[in-house]
Amino acid sequence: MSTEELLEAMNAEDRTVPVAVAGTIPQIRALVDGIVERVPKGGRVFYLGAGTSGRLGIVDASEIPPTYGVRDVFIGLMAGGDGAIRNAVEGAEDDSEGGWRDMHPFKPTVNDVVIGIAASGGTPYVVGAVKKARSEGMLTGCITCNRGSELAKAAEIPIEVVVGPEFVTGSTRLKSGTAQKLVLNMISTTAMIRLGHVKGNMMVDMQLTNHKLVDRGTRMIMKQTGIDDYGYARKLLLEYGQVRAAVEAWQKEKSK
């Protein structure tokens, strides 16, 4: 196959993924509702995976604090620990007690939610943690790309996104990875919206970690308040540290 033929064939396969994800929306909804119910009670969401699946969970969890200003709610763990993010750790995913052991320092409670991520649905590190978490009374879910897997049977709310054979056989970082990423986006984003960290479609609690986000926050304030002075809106933002707080302070002052 030529380069163009390869790219077109891969793109054709990739277009099937959102359709497969759409079929799992009822399960995603149930899991999001469970998260929204538990987080206000002190609950957290643990993502557990190995390899590509683990990395995707860590990426999603790590983006929650800067995007929504919420820390220590979404926690990503993967077989082999942080070192496995860049380099494979041999045998780590085969440890059926490893996932629960990695959760132990966080002192998990019944208000927590555990989501196992494994394309195959058979990774011992993930399956073992989900089974243990469920036995301890936690809400458990999973994201897998095989139907009827051991992981799906272990989880209370299984999300089975069956994407079919990969373009390169067994390379689950392709369609399976894309499906997992889409579902993770849906879970965390919808949960944060439901929990009040988005106003309209704006990230009003985002952290001001760089000049781009300060500029974005300033323009959000201008849009929400009608302030037409960029410098004044920016001053408000930097004074109060986030869009929501700045807008609320401005509204309070204006109402006096």
Side-chain angles (χ1 to χ4, degrees), residues 25-37:
I25 285 178
Q27 291 74 37
I28 300 173
R29 176 196 57 76
L31 192 52
V32 170
D33 286 345
I35 291 169
V36 171
E37 178 186 346

Side-chain angles (χ1 to χ4, degrees), residues 32-76:
V32 170
D33 286 345
I35 291 169
V36 171
E37 178 186 346
R38 287 163 175 77
V39 168
K41 300 174 183 177
R44 298 155 299 175
V45 181
F46 289 90
Y47 293 143
L48 284 97
T52 297
S53 298
R55 294 182 187 101
L56 288 170
I58 288 173
V59 166
D60 193 79
S62 68
E63 291 174 346
I64 300 303
T67 307
Y68 301 109
V70 176
R71 290 193 171 276
D72 304 321
V73 171
F74 283 80
I75 299 167

Side-chain angles (χ1 to χ4, degrees), residues 9 14 30 32 40 43 54-56 58 75 100 110 127 135 149 159 175 178 182 205 207 212 221 228:
D14 288 343
V32 170
R55 294 182 187 101
L56 288 170
I58 288 173
I75 299 167
W100 182 255
V110 292
V127 175
S135 73
S149 67
I159 299 169
K175 287 193 298 184
T178 300
L182 290 175
D205 293 334
Q207 295 179 349
K212 176 189 71 177
I221 291 172
D228 57 8

Side-chain angles (χ1 to χ4, degrees), residues 123-229:
T123 307
Y125 175 91
V126 179
V127 175
V130 169
K131 285 182 175 179
K132 178 64 174 174
R134 189 171 182 180
S135 73
E136 294 287 330
M138 300 174 201
L139 177 64
T140 57
C142 73
I143 307 169
T144 181
C145 299
N146 275 335
R147 199 175 303 284
S149 67
E150 186 179 1
L151 178 58
K153 293 173 183 175
E156 185 177 343
I157 304 175
I159 299 169
E160 298 171 295
V161 190
V162 182
V163 295
E166 296 288 5
F167 186 70
V168 174
T169 301
S171 182
T172 53
R173 72 186 186 88
L174 300 176
K175 287 193 298 184
S176 296
T178 300
Q180 291 169 341
K181 173 61 174 162
L182 290 175
V183 173
L184 288 166
N185 285 349
M186 294 167 78
I187 290 171
S188 58
T189 302
T190 306
M192 289 293 98
I193 293 171
R194 290 279 317 280
L195 289 166
H197 296 287
V198 174
K199 184 174 182 179
N201 66 342
M202 293 183 287
M203 305 179 293
V204 293
D205 293 334
M206 68 181 181
Q207 295 179 349
L208 307 177
T209 55
N210 56 49
H211 294 305
K212 176 189 71 177
L213 294 179
V214 170
D215 176 68
R216 181 181 297 167
T218 300
R219 297 182 188 282
M220 285 184 190
I221 291 172
M222 294 174 72
K223 183 176 181 180
Q224 289 191 53
T225 62
I227 294 172
D228 57 8
D229 184 337

